[in-house]
Amino acid sequence: MSFHCALTMAGAMINFTCRPRGRGGAMGNSGSTAPAPLGKTHVPDLEWKVHDFSALVETKAISALSPPFHCSGYKWFLQVNPKHKQDDKGNQYVALSLGISPVCLELGHTVHAEFELSIFKHSKGMYCGSKANYNFDVKNTYSNKECLIPLEELLKSSTFLVDDSCVFGAKILKIDVSSPEKKVVVVQKKATTVQNLFVQKKGFIKGTYTWTMDNFLELDSQRPVRSPTFEVGGQKWYIGMHPRGNRSSTDCLTLGLYLDSSDELFIESRKVVQISLSILDQKNGKYFTKTTGLLVYTCPEGWVLSNFLPLKELNDMSRGYLIESKCVLKADLTIFGSSIDG
């Protein structure tokens, strides 16, 4: 069995900076200035309506990740960060970033994309936002955050927020691929993909699973390993692991959480989840943990942390992650809502 990740955290939610825009709305150098006024953008490839936006803010999630949309042979995602701290005063901004599935990428290839990230302005009946660009590869699958509007302003606005719902957009304008084959990509015109995100204000479903292995050092380093299945929210899940890393990161332990492929319910449910994966420091009884934002699960390809923990730290017996050949992993899963098409 092999694992292929549709969602990755290799740079997805760390080391992000908001960038001030230069002329024409293009990204400039890193900085902490407030974003420029929003400009009119094209009709997006993805229209993502977030219902109960205040509930998304109240979850304290660092981000929400859309279902995928397809453009020119690549699978893309839109990430919304509802409470990004943009400036030196700590003011919070709603920020967007564009992601690409690493399954679509080849080692040694760089996908340079020009795109627009936007929010729908109901009073004018049009999308407003900014143009940006980014070089995507297997280790850089999410663009920099583009700050659109102060969170406080959005929550008080009837221009962008109607019935506690707002609509975000992403459009791919141009794609160039740097590769030995000098691949040419033509951006194809297609109908807008429409998705809806529903976030519950209460009644969250939570589950925890602990996976204890006594033979970690005997595992085949070239083959992925999976835990027994466990159930949360009426669906079957499992932890997947590459003991010596995957193609995106060969010097780190790779962990992921997956829907079991024998569970056909995932096709219809499209649950909105938040995931934490942990490894136990057995000497001190403390877990080292990494957590996602909110994810829309649409397929069993899973959420993957390619660079969960450096192998150097894992194999350092003084750190307590390995005691002889024993290793303890944990998955925490919270279901916050659902997503539907159209």
Side-chain angles (χ1 to χ4, degrees), residues 229-247:
T229 58
F230 59 96
E231 188 171 309
V232 178
Q235 293 182 277
K236 297 176 183 178
W237 308 81
Y238 66 91
I239 301 172
M241 175 180 64
H242 289 264
R244 299 296 180 268
N246 63 5
R247 66 172 190 152

Side-chain angles (χ1 to χ4, degrees), residues 150-161:
L151 175 61
E152 184 177 358
E153 179 181 332
L154 177 62
L155 293 175
K156 294 179 180 179
S157 170
S158 60
T159 298
F160 299 104
L161 194 68

Side-chain angles (χ1 to χ4, degrees), residues 35-254:
L38 301 179
K40 183 178 179 180
T41 61
H42 297 85
V43 175
D45 295 317
L46 172 69
E47 176 183 292
W48 194 27
K49 185 174 184 178
V50 179
H51 299 261
D52 301 315
F53 183 80
S54 60
L56 173 61
V57 176
E58 290 168 10
T59 65
K60 299 181 180 180
I62 57 175
S63 66
L65 191 67
S66 77
F69 65 99
H70 298 267
C71 181
S72 302
Y74 294 95
K75 186 186 292 185
W76 306 88
F77 305 89
L78 178 61
Q79 185 179 66
V80 177
N81 296 76
K83 300 175 70 173
H84 177 69
K85 290 186 177 180
Q86 153 72 0
D87 55 28
D88 296 335
K89 296 180 180 180
N91 294 319
Q92 295 174 327
Y93 283 74
V94 177
L96 302 183
S97 53
L98 182 69
I100 189 171
S101 170
V103 173
C104 307
L105 301 176
E106 299 179 43
L107 288 172
H109 289 205
T110 298
V111 177
H112 176 78
E114 294 182 10
F115 51 91
E116 290 177 333
L117 301 175
S118 58
I119 184 171
F120 188 70
K121 192 172 185 178
H122 292 275
S123 61
K124 297 292 185 180
M126 65 183 188
Y127 283 88
C128 300
S130 64
K131 183 184 294 185
N133 59 81
Y134 194 76
N135 293 324
F136 297 92
D137 57 42
V138 293
K139 291 190 176 182
N140 297 282
T141 57
Y142 284 78
S143 69
N144 297 289
K145 291 179 182 176
E146 290 293 303
C147 293
L148 294 188
I149 186 172
L151 175 61
E152 184 177 358
E153 179 181 332
L154 177 62
L155 293 175
K156 294 179 180 179
S157 170
S158 60
T159 298
F160 299 104
L161 194 68
V162 176
D163 296 329
D164 199 23
S165 299
C166 54
V167 182
F168 299 101
K171 184 173 185 63
I172 311 299
L173 301 174
K174 184 179 179 181
I175 299 173
D176 294 313
V177 180
S178 299
S179 67
E181 300 85 7
K182 295 182 178 181
K183 184 179 178 182
V184 177
V185 177
V186 178
V187 176
Q188 304 161 338
K189 294 182 179 180
K190 58 183 297 186
T192 299
T193 299
V194 180
Q195 304 281 358
N196 290 270
L197 176 69
F198 296 90
V199 182
Q200 300 170 186
K201 292 190 175 182
K202 57 182 179 179
F204 307 141
I205 299 173
K206 296 185 178 183
T208 297
Y209 176 75
T210 301
W211 181 23
T212 301
M213 290 167 284
D214 295 316
N215 63 336
F216 182 86
L217 295 178
E218 286 76 51
L219 297 175
D220 187 338
S221 62
Q222 303 303 315
R223 295 178 61 84
V225 182
R226 58 175 288 173
S227 74
T229 58
F230 59 96
E231 188 171 309
V232 178
Q235 293 182 277
K236 297 176 183 178
W237 308 81
Y238 66 91
I239 301 172
M241 175 180 64
H242 289 264
R244 299 296 180 268
N246 63 5
R247 66 172 190 152
S248 299
S249 185
T250 58
D251 58 353
C252 291
L253 175 69
T254 297

